[in-house]
Amino acid sequence: MPILPSLYHSSDVIDLCAGSAFKYGPTSPPSIADFSSSSLTIVMVHWTDNVHRIWWKEASIYHIYPASFKDSNGDGIGDIPGIVSKLDYIKSLGVDLVWICPCYKSPKVDMGYDVSDYRAIDEQYGTMKDVEHLLEGLHSRGMKLVMDMVANHTSDQHEWFKSALASRDSPYRDYYIWKKPKVGENGEKLPPNNWLSLFSGSVWKYDEKSDEFYFHLFATEQPDLNWENPKVRQEIYDIMRFWITKGVDGFRMDAINFISKDPAFPDAPITVPSSKYQHAAMFYSMGPRLHDYVAEIGKILKEYNAFSVGEMAYLYDPTEIIKIVSFDRNELNMVFQFELIDIDRGPFHKYSPKKWTPREFKDIANKWQVFMQENDGWNALFLENHDWGRSVSRFLSDTHELRKIGAKMLATFIGLQSGTLFLYQGQELGLANMPKSWSIEKYKDLETINYYKQLLHDKVSQETLNTAMGEIQKKARDHARLPFQWDSSDFAGFSSIQPWMDINEDYKEWNAAVQVDDPSSVFSYWRSIFDLRRTYKDVLVYGKFELVDPTNEKICAYRRVFGCEAALVVTSFSDSVVTWTLPQELLRPGKIVLSNYGDVKGLQTEMVVRPYEAFLYILSS
């Protein structure tokens, strides 16, 4: 007699489809197809039950930094009409959504993340009519638009803050966070606590007129909103509805885990004795009312079936993240957590050094993959964005010999995991960081400039300054913000004049025109990854993730399994040849469907894996 599903209790069942043993328990219930002979009953366990299929899990997203994408009017700065002119290029990659960084009206102290009017487009980028054309162009091509929603803070030029600063009796005064000063031993006015700003210095700025400090996690020109005030929350929700009504399909919620702070604003522990101000993320990165606020946001998003991804820095604990992204919580679809991106972040600052190993790299990926699949959450997959250096330069090598192969390997590593895949502009071309020969004067970003100025102010040693510059050359936000390299013409086809930032010197060789029609290019490789995620959707989007040979120090291999479908992903983080002994249970019939060297024929017991080699093997059912 067959074993009935209602009688299934085992937590140790062999999956004969995948050819391996998985442990199944109450958090990963199987579905069962069974058959029997006179002497044997075989139970087939499939990783298919309780999979919530939904459009945004299957989507891929292209991330655009407007100022650096394409200049349409010859002023040296990218704009919305420039984006519209390149929609066919974006569509040809095979992505489903486009996320653009802020283009709202702004003084641009922090390149648009200091918003002065949420319902107006900055004239540098275009007009509201241009946004409508962008929406029409995307929707007619079957793509959606995601906009950045900066909800933690505004510009100090926003009408709310100007009114709040003008008078303590302003109806907008409580839209922001104000505190009385502490008084020093000599009667001087001191900040209310010792928290360090993310852009250096104190998080507090003194207003002499009212004898109070206002709070700013970022630049002094970016005062934080007071989310304890229900009027503030309603303002943000109304802004979201305004854009959804315009046709926007979703939001990336900037710094969303910072909107709830510890209301006591206690002093942070002293972790850097030499510093006047101390890292205090434990008091603002997951505040006591965060879930209340995000749940309210989630109701609006669910009402419109809108896409959402939250930016959540300084949170490496998946048990906290799952409270935001668990499918039944209805808060956010997914979040950007930065544990993998922060792998080379030292203990004191983004620009303090830290060595890392490939083993750590894959262990972090495994941690988030397994936790989310076991707890009905979802990952946002990314290695680049507008706030970090280029991945091939940071994590591998951008030397001429290995850059193309390395860029493809990283694409394989991140692109075939479980989650929604994000691709940052230029990543599809394998673009690299600024040349190391460029001096600090070439950098424009406030975060980098403030940090370097602080080091000079503190009169640090030349050795410390050199170390910091080495880290800036790997991690600075400016690397990702160099103008897009469209072709080999003057100014890389980005503009007809000298752009707002210098063009990378390698643009004549590394550009879109060279790669789009080249089947061996990084661009074509990324297009193949998007195609494969659609072709093998069940296994590559929804399939179970399991590391293979997890203790290997150079090879990162993982298996994806869904029912009787299985795939093996192999990537090498070594810049030299590695001999790898393939686990015997993986020596099964199948086919290579993706290879960054292009000549892998199949699997062998002893695999000679070349520098930064990567391939995808689909196992036969």
Side-chain angles (χ1 to χ4, degrees):
M1 291 290 293
I3 298 176
L4 298 176
S6 61
L7 299 179
Y8 169 75
H9 296 292
S10 174
S11 62
D12 187 3
V13 182
I14 296 178
D15 182 347
L16 296 183
C17 287
S20 63
F22 282 124
K23 301 287 185 178
Y24 290 95
T27 61
S28 54
S31 65
I32 298 176
D34 53 88
F35 59 91
S36 63
S37 66
S38 58
S39 60
L40 177 66
T41 299
I42 299 176
V43 178
M44 307 282 282
V45 180
H46 296 178
W47 178 259
T48 58
D49 275 13
N50 294 339
V51 171
H52 292 108
R53 295 177 181 269
I54 194 164
W55 68 270
W56 46 261
K57 290 186 176 182
E58 301 167 12
S60 297
I61 300 170
Y62 191 73
H63 174 191
I64 291 178
Y65 193 72
S68 299
F69 191 64
K70 175 62 179 173
D71 171 22
S72 72
N73 60 358
D75 64 357
I77 303 169
D79 47 47
I80 296 169
I83 298 172
V84 174
S85 73
K86 294 297 183 180
L87 290 182
D88 287 339
Y89 168 86
I90 298 169
K91 177 66 177 177
S92 72
L93 260 174
V95 297
D96 307 288
L97 291 86
V98 172
W99 152 35
I100 60 173
C101 288
C103 52
Y104 312 109
K105 188 175 181 181
S106 166
K108 292 175 286 298
V109 170
D110 188 24
M111 289 304 295
Y113 284 91
D114 49 323
V115 180
S116 58
D117 187 342
Y118 289 92
R119 291 179 172 86
I121 299 301
D122 195 278
E123 62 182 15
Q124 174 178 286
Y125 297 125
T127 65
M128 189 65 77
K129 197 70 176 176
D130 292 327
V131 174
E132 292 169 1
H133 289 156
L134 176 60
L135 282 162
E136 291 167 5
L138 287 167
H139 291 166
S140 68
R141 290 169 173 83
M143 295 185 287
K144 298 178 184 290
L145 178 63
V146 174
M147 291 186 72
D148 233 309
M149 181 52 56
V150 187
N152 177 71
H153 51 268
T154 70
S155 165
D156 63 352
Q157 298 305 303
H158 196 290
E159 291 301 323
W160 300 341
F161 188 75
K162 289 197 289 186
S163 175
L165 194 63
S167 171
R168 293 180 63 176
D169 297 325
S170 165
Y172 295 104
R173 182 75 174 187
D174 197 35
Y175 273 39
Y176 299 89
I177 300 168
W178 300 85
K179 298 290 180 185
K180 285 289 186 182
K182 287 182 177 179
V183 180
E185 294 179 359
N186 300 316
E188 67 272 28
K189 305 293 177 66
L190 300 176
N193 63 26
N194 67 345
W195 293 8
L196 175 69
S197 164
L198 295 173
F199 284 177
S200 302
S202 172
V203 297
W204 300 97
K205 183 174 180 181
Y206 183 61
D207 172 43
E208 189 172 359
K209 180 179 178 180
S210 64
D211 190 31
E212 289 186 334
F213 283 85
Y214 71 82
F215 184 89
H216 61 92
L217 268 178
F218 295 89
T220 56
E221 298 89 348
Q222 294 170 284
D224 279 42
L225 287 165
N226 175 20
W227 273 70
E228 296 283 339
N229 184 343
K231 292 181 180 179
V232 167
R233 302 201 299 275
Q234 192 58 53
E235 294 273 16
I236 296 297
Y237 306 156
D238 289 347
I239 291 165
M240 292 174 64
R241 290 182 186 278
F242 170 84
W243 285 107
I244 292 173
T245 302
K246 282 280 184 185
V248 170
D249 303 288
F251 300 99
R252 178 258 192 186
M253 305 298 297
D254 181 66
I256 195 63
N257 59 315
F258 296 165
I259 61 176
S260 174
K261 284 85 170 171
D262 186 326
F265 290 91
D267 275 341
I270 307 299
T271 55
V272 185
S274 61
S275 176
K276 188 176 181 180
Y277 304 109
Q278 303 295 316
H279 181 69
M282 69 287 292
F283 297 121
Y284 61 73
S285 66
M286 200 80 176
R289 296 197 63 193
L290 179 65
H291 291 293
D292 295 339
Y293 303 153
V294 180
E296 292 176 359
I297 292 171
K299 288 179 181 178
I300 298 172
L301 296 166
K302 187 174 182 180
E303 179 183 344
Y304 294 96
N305 191 27
F307 173 86
S308 62
V309 57
E311 181 194 31
M312 302 188 75
Y314 303 119
L315 285 175
Y316 305 146
D317 183 356
T319 63
E320 291 295 332
I321 297 288
I322 196 67
K323 296 173 186 176
I324 296 283
V325 303
S326 180
F327 193 82
D328 60 0
R329 292 278 298 197
N330 294 316
E331 294 189 16
L332 299 177
N333 298 155
M334 65 200 78
V335 303
F336 294 125
Q337 52 77 21
F338 295 89
E339 186 170 11
L340 190 61
I341 298 300
D342 282 342
I343 194 170
D344 58 354
R345 184 187 186 113
F348 306 125
H349 192 275
K350 173 179 177 176
Y351 295 131
S352 58
K354 177 180 176 291
K355 292 184 178 180
W356 60 276
T357 66
R359 173 84 178 270
E360 292 176 86
F361 209 78
K362 67 179 179 181
D363 283 350
I364 293 171
N366 182 63
K367 165 185 167 180
W368 291 94
Q369 287 287 298
V370 171
F371 186 89
M372 288 299 169
Q373 71 189 16
E374 290 182 348
N375 293 277
D376 204 13
W378 199 248
N379 285 297
L381 305 173
F382 72 106
L383 287 178
E384 293 188 18
N385 64 23
H386 63 287
D387 282 337
W388 290 92
R390 294 293 187 176
S391 56
V392 71
S393 300
R394 284 183 68 197
F395 302 131
L396 300 180
S397 170
D398 55 17
T399 61
H400 179 76
E401 295 79 12
L402 293 173
R403 177 171 165 184
K404 183 176 178 180
I405 288 294
K408 292 180 180 182
M409 185 278 281
L410 290 174
T412 311
F413 169 81
I414 197 68
L416 301 177
Q417 294 181 34
S418 175
T420 298
L421 183 57
F422 290 77
L423 180 69
Y424 180 67
Q425 64 181 53
Q427 187 180 357
E428 76 275 17
L429 304 177
L431 295 191
N433 282 353
M434 294 178 179
K436 291 182 179 179
S437 59
W438 287 12
S439 68
I440 191 66
E441 285 73 28
K442 291 277 192 179
Y443 291 80
K444 294 182 177 292
D445 179 55
L446 193 66
E447 177 188 60
T448 301
I449 292 169
N450 283 358
Y451 178 71
Y452 198 83
K453 284 181 177 178
Q454 186 66 51
L455 293 178
L456 294 176
H457 177 270
D458 294 343
K459 298 180 180 179
V460 300
S461 68
Q462 188 61 47
E463 180 182 2
T464 299
L465 208 58
N466 291 344
T467 298
M469 193 63 197
E471 295 301 299
I472 288 169
Q473 288 169 343
K474 286 191 293 186
K475 305 174 187 175
R477 305 199 296 185
D478 282 321
H479 297 302
R481 301 177 181 188
L482 295 180
F484 196 95
Q485 295 164 210
W486 289 106
D487 57 42
S488 60
S489 66
D490 291 345
F491 312 118
F494 167 76
S495 177
S496 58
I497 68 168
Q498 174 64 40
W500 72 283
M501 286 191 75
D502 284 351
I503 303 286
N504 202 320
E505 295 168 3
D506 64 7
Y507 76 93
K508 287 186 180 293
E509 182 180 0
W510 291 86
N511 62 68
V514 168
Q515 294 198 33
V516 167
D517 295 322
D518 178 2
S520 70
S521 68
V522 180
F523 179 94
S524 294
Y525 197 86
W526 269 106
R527 184 158 50 193
S528 295
I529 284 179
F530 294 129
D531 286 345
L532 288 165
R533 285 177 67 90
R534 282 187 289 270
T535 302
Y536 299 99
K537 179 173 62 179
D538 283 350
V539 68
L540 294 181
V541 175
Y542 294 108
K544 184 181 178 71
F545 178 99
E546 182 186 57
L547 274 185
V548 173
D549 194 7
T551 61
N552 194 294
E553 296 292 342
K554 295 181 178 180
I555 300 294
C556 175
Y558 56 88
R559 180 170 43 189
R560 305 295 309 281
V561 179
F562 188 95
C564 286
E565 296 181 60
L568 173 66
V569 180
V570 177
T571 61
S572 172
F573 278 75
S574 175
D575 59 3
S576 58
V577 173
V578 175
T579 300
W580 182 48
T581 302
L582 193 72
Q584 284 297 309
E585 67 268 20
L586 295 177
L587 286 172
R588 293 170 48 196
K591 61 180 178 179
I592 298 288
V593 297
L594 185 70
S595 165
N596 64 344
Y597 276 85
D599 58 0
V600 181
K601 302 302 182 185
L603 303 183
Q604 301 173 2
T605 302
E606 294 290 320
M607 299 286 296
V608 177
V609 185
R610 290 163 288 189
Y612 299 149
E613 184 160 12
F615 59 85
L616 169 63
Y617 185 78
I618 299 294
L619 288 79
S620 299
S621 299

